[in-house]
Amino acid sequence: MGDDSHELHIAMFPWLAFGHMMPYLELAKLIAQKGHKITFISTPRNIDRLPRIPPSLAPLINFVKLPLPHEVHLLEGDEATADVPYNKVQYLKVAFDGLKDPMTKFLATSHDIDYLLYDFVPYWLPDIATGLGIPNAFFSIFLGAAVCFLKPQEDRTEPEHFTVTPKSIPFPTTVKFKLFEILRIFESITGDASDVSDSYRLQEVLRCCQMVAIRSCMEFEPEWLHLLQELLGKPVIPVGLLAPAEHDGAGPDESSGTWKSMKDWLDKQEKGSVVYVAFGSEAKPSQVELTEIALGLELSGLPFFWVLRTRRGSTDNEKITLPEGFEDRTNGRGLVLTRWVPQLKILAHDSVGGFLTHSGLSSLVEALQHGRALILLSFLAEQGLNSRIFEEKKTGYPIPRDEFDGSFTRDSVAESLRLVMVKEEGQIYREKAMEMKGLFGNKDIQDQYVVNFLAYIRSHRRCLEPKIPV
């Protein structure tokens, strides 16, 4: 077999969040489609909850389960950020750092791994991999613009420092945090129970990795990808936007009559009329926010399909409830579900015209591959930056909020929904969504990024002698 057709073996180690694991898995499937082997490493319960792999790819994707070390603040089964209230994510990082030794032993005894891809959280892993002679890269599930902004700066010590554009960004941009967004995550960025801040983790991973693979493409953010490579002084290779395939996303209820009842409801709605509302696996609105969203949906007069997350993990005792009489008043026009739904199937349905979303990148990609207009309401992590990125490109409209506390009103929810869905002045958002469908949903363009990425890896595959005795 010639050198160019060498079958690669690529190992992957994502952070314990489904917003991270799913893009890693999507890339794994695309690589396996080219005939290469993947070893996907995570904890037992997380692996058991991942979507089923298509039978044709199953022989090429091997899942390795590393038990999560015990952490006194976590319950048994708390293995992902979706399993715990936000204030306990810091203890998940403590447990995750306990995987350093098991991960080292695994890599040291896996002599055929050609390349290792890892997330930003295991800041200790790049040096271990390089020491074992394994070429490696940070695979960023964040866009280039977000990484450019988040790249650690010595002078950012207060929340307000994150509400201005860093001097390292040489062109005009609105990409920065609002004060309420950074206040919600400031402790994790600057330090928490793990004694290692997210900022330090990212700094070390960017410093020690040999290359950055990134979930993005040149057609969407060329200026940011060029800048990131310039700032890092090392290769930045986009792998595409990783829009999931239609047959994926199979969940626990899909084989029953659940999807049929949802489809029956959607089939009765006019084409492009429905607002789909979902805030991902982690974002949970406060009671005040929930009330304003609900009453805003009611005021808008638009049909809606709302997937509502009322708890974050089994220890979340902060109950949130819909306003009294809301479901009766919107009966027939609106549908509220609190269980798992096949999001891809819903977004693909002709009756859906818009998506009220938390601005998580996976949700944005899923919506735009179907040309759905975006109404943005960020909650956590880098979602605020994503909101600015898509707003700047006129691809999403953010619901107006108070800069300091993030509050918003039912009127602003209703007005934003009507603007994007039906008003003439929101036509730009509907047109841009359809324009982006030609990029986000173009399998040929996106597939070429995977081909180019594999070509890079093939030319830099394992050829180093281990520096660490094994």
Side-chain angles (χ1 to χ4, degrees):
M1 191 177 282
D3 197 52
D4 283 350
S5 58
H6 172 80
E7 182 188 274
L8 295 166
H9 180 190
I10 299 169
M12 297 183 169
F13 189 53
W15 163 233
L16 307 177
F18 284 97
H20 291 239
M21 289 182 274
M22 294 304 293
Y24 271 73
L25 186 63
E26 203 57 47
L27 181 59
K29 289 186 286 188
L30 293 172
I31 292 172
Q33 284 175 9
K34 313 293 183 195
H36 302 291
K37 291 195 303 180
I38 295 290
T39 292
F40 192 102
I41 308 158
S42 191
T43 62
R45 186 162 181 250
N46 286 333
I47 286 175
D48 290 343
R49 288 183 287 179
L50 292 172
R52 293 185 295 275
I53 298 295
S56 60
L57 301 181
L60 290 166
I61 301 178
N62 178 43
F63 291 99
V64 171
K65 298 178 177 180
L66 295 183
L68 192 66
H70 175 71
E71 215 295 321
V72 68
H73 296 90
L74 301 177
L75 299 177
E76 187 175 349
D78 287 350
E79 295 185 11
T81 52
D83 298 327
V84 296
Y86 182 68
N87 65 349
K88 287 198 172 183
V89 170
Q90 56 187 326
Y91 303 115
L92 207 54
K93 288 177 195 158
V94 174
F96 187 72
D97 286 339
L99 291 173
K100 178 178 179 179
D101 287 345
M103 190 67 184
T104 303
K105 287 173 187 170
F106 173 78
L107 293 174
T109 55
S110 302
H111 300 299
D112 65 337
I113 293 175
D114 292 300
Y115 220 91
L116 173 65
L117 302 178
Y118 43 76
D119 220 322
F120 82 96
V121 180
Y123 66 100
W124 33 264
L125 191 52
D127 281 344
I128 290 169
T130 301
L132 290 168
I134 303 173
N136 57 89
F138 165 42
F139 171 34
S140 170
I141 60 108
F142 308 121
L143 287 168
V147 181
C148 285
F149 182 89
L150 291 168
K151 185 178 180 295
Q153 316 266 332
E154 287 183 8
D155 57 350
R156 289 200 293 202
T157 55
E158 300 295 331
E160 290 77 10
H161 298 160
F162 290 83
T163 63
V164 295
T165 305
K167 296 184 180 69
S168 56
I169 297 175
F171 44 78
T173 181
T174 59
V175 175
K176 55 194 173 188
F177 282 113
K178 308 275 190 188
L179 185 60
F180 74 89
E181 292 167 340
I182 191 62
L183 286 173
R184 290 183 179 189
I185 61 172
F186 188 66
E187 277 191 8
S188 69
I189 286 182
T190 55
D192 53 28
S194 71
D195 288 330
V196 186
S197 68
D198 283 356
S199 183
Y200 182 79
R201 291 175 190 275
L202 180 61
Q203 172 188 297
E204 286 303 287
V205 164
L206 290 174
R207 183 177 70 83
C208 300
C209 69
Q210 296 170 356
M211 179 265 282
V212 173
I214 191 161
R215 183 189 194 180
S216 187
C217 66
M218 291 299 293
E219 292 84 353
F220 184 67
E221 52 164 3
E223 70 281 24
W224 291 105
L225 294 174
H226 287 308
L227 175 61
L228 184 58
Q229 183 157 297
E230 187 181 310
L231 292 175
L232 297 179
K234 59 183 67 177
V236 173
I237 314 290
V239 300
L241 292 161
L242 306 178
E246 289 307 321
H247 58 76
D248 294 340
D253 298 325
E254 196 166 356
S255 59
S256 67
T258 306
W259 166 240
K260 184 180 183 305
S261 64
M262 295 177 197
K263 184 176 182 300
D264 288 346
W265 186 88
L266 289 166
D267 287 344
K268 293 172 186 170
Q269 312 306 318
E270 290 184 22
K271 183 176 179 180
S273 67
V274 175
V275 181
Y276 176 55
V277 185
F279 304 120
S281 61
E282 295 181 35
K284 174 192 161 188
S286 68
Q287 181 59 62
V288 172
E289 290 170 336
L290 175 68
T291 299
E292 296 306 310
I293 293 166
L295 296 179
L297 283 165
E298 184 177 347
L299 274 173
S300 75
L302 297 166
F304 61 88
F305 188 127
W306 188 0
V307 182
L308 175 61
R309 181 174 171 81
T310 57
R311 294 184 79 194
R312 215 186 129 144
S314 57
T315 58
D316 183 358
N317 296 317
E318 291 185 22
K319 189 178 181 184
I320 55 173
T321 56
L322 290 165
E324 188 174 348
F326 169 77
E327 289 184 90
D328 291 334
R329 294 192 302 271
T330 58
N331 186 34
R333 175 164 70 84
L335 186 63
V336 182
L337 298 176
T338 56
R339 59 180 184 272
W340 178 90
V341 302
Q343 179 160 294
L344 276 175
K345 286 179 178 287
I346 295 166
L347 286 169
H349 197 282
D350 282 347
S351 70
V352 175
F355 185 13
L356 173 52
T357 170
H358 60 311
S359 309
L361 185 54
S362 290
S363 289
L364 297 172
V365 170
E366 288 176 16
L368 288 175
Q369 72 171 319
H370 294 295
R372 306 306 177 215
L374 298 170
I375 307 98
L376 309 172
L377 189 67
S378 62
F379 286 92
L380 288 171
E382 88 293 358
Q383 293 163 9
L385 300 180
N386 290 341
S387 183
R388 302 302 100 67
I389 294 163
F390 283 78
E391 177 189 9
E392 199 167 82
K393 295 178 181 293
K394 294 293 183 189
T395 309
Y397 181 81
I399 290 176
R401 303 170 77 164
D402 184 280
E403 294 269 338
F404 299 99
D405 65 13
S407 60
F408 54 89
T409 66
R410 62 200 69 176
D411 291 324
S412 65
V413 172
E415 288 163 13
S416 300
L417 291 170
R418 291 195 58 77
L419 183 146
V420 172
M421 293 290 291
V422 296
K423 287 191 174 179
E424 189 174 338
E425 57 263 47
Q427 181 70 21
I428 181 69
Y429 299 102
R430 301 191 288 276
E431 289 176 352
K432 272 289 184 181
M434 292 308 297
E435 180 186 320
M436 285 296 160
K437 180 181 179 180
L439 172 60
F440 284 59
N442 189 313
K443 299 296 182 188
D444 292 336
I445 292 175
Q446 300 302 325
D447 186 67
Q448 189 58 47
Y449 280 100
V450 178
V451 171
N452 296 344
F453 174 63
L454 290 169
Y456 178 91
I457 285 186
R458 194 176 285 118
S459 65
H460 293 79
R461 67 177 180 270
R462 186 169 186 157
C463 55
L464 307 171
E465 287 299 318
K467 297 171 187 172
I468 297 174
V470 296

